[in-house]
Amino acid sequence: MNTFTLVSPDSFDFSPFQMIGKDWFAVTAEKDGKFNAMTASWGGLGIMWGKNAAFIVIRDSRYTKECLDASEFFSLAVFGEEKYRKALGYLGKASGRDEDKLTTAGLTVSYHKNIPYIEEASCIFLCRKLCCQKITPESFLDPSIQDTWYRDKDYHNLYIAEITGVLKK
């Protein structure tokens, strides 16, 4: 079923604000032969340390963090179609600790060079972790961030990853 083509990250003309903040994306990683994915709507794309890079944040409480920490690689799946909104919503609410939530959501996992990704996406960013930094209360220069987003003290971890390839339908 794979209909993807490997393309250059430099060939894109899109709004990252639309793609990440409004369309959402799914982070997929694998630990001990078991894959997991979660919906994300915070992150970014850019250049870091001379590389095309993706920036994502994952809370300590998420099972996906365990999978990310156990693997050198992960993928970011961009859907851009309203018909996948319900499935992405499910990935954001259910825990992969307890079930194969991708199957429950009606999504299929495939692999590119041992990196898991979601087949139904329109675009896949293949990523290699470069850095992980815990976000702490001392990090905030604007105190309203703590009050608004971290009242429960479930802080994010910032991952910076090199985009090693892009698969596009």
Side-chain angles (χ1 to χ4, degrees):
M1 179 175 159
N2 190 328
T3 58
F4 287 98
T5 303
L6 194 60
V7 298
S8 168
D10 298 326
S11 68
F12 285 94
D13 182 18
F14 61 87
S15 166
F17 305 105
Q18 178 69 38
M19 181 185 78
I20 298 168
K22 296 195 172 48
D23 293 341
W24 304 346
F25 60 98
V27 180
T28 306
E30 185 175 34
K31 175 185 174 186
D32 300 330
K34 183 180 176 187
F35 53 83
N36 191 60
M38 66 171 268
T39 303
S41 62
W42 289 3
L45 301 171
I47 304 296
M48 189 69 180
W49 302 308
K51 300 176 185 302
N52 292 321
F55 307 85
I56 60 170
V57 290
I58 308 290
R59 292 184 190 270
D60 283 336
S61 61
R62 298 305 298 254
Y63 178 60
T64 301
K65 182 185 180 312
E66 288 181 36
C67 295
L68 270 172
D69 290 345
S71 179
E72 180 180 0
F73 296 94
F74 66 93
S75 68
L76 302 176
V78 179
F79 292 83
E81 292 184 44
E82 190 65 32
K83 71 180 183 178
Y84 293 110
R85 195 62 160 194
K86 184 176 179 184
L88 286 169
Y90 188 77
L91 294 182
K93 292 178 185 148
S95 174
R97 282 186 186 97
D98 307 322
E99 67 170 302
D100 176 356
K101 65 182 182 176
L102 283 148
T103 300
T104 303
L107 299 172
T108 311
V109 172
S110 292
Y111 289 85
H112 179 82
K113 296 183 179 180
N114 296 320
I115 303 172
Y117 68 88
I118 299 173
E119 181 73 35
E120 288 79 7
S122 61
C123 178
I124 306 292
F125 291 89
L126 304 169
C127 301
R128 182 177 69 88
K129 292 186 310 187
L130 298 174
C131 177
C132 177
Q133 180 65 48
K134 174 83 172 163
I135 295 174
T136 64
E138 299 77 31
S139 311
F140 303 124
L141 302 177
D142 178 347
S144 72
I145 296 171
Q146 170 69 40
D147 298 338
T148 304
W149 300 105
Y150 298 103
R151 283 177 285 214
D152 61 359
K153 310 269 191 267
D154 189 12
Y155 295 99
H156 282 99
N157 297 275
L158 170 65
Y159 291 85
I160 302 172
E162 175 184 10
I163 298 172
T164 61
V166 179
L167 300 175
K168 187 131 176 75
K169 283 190 178 169

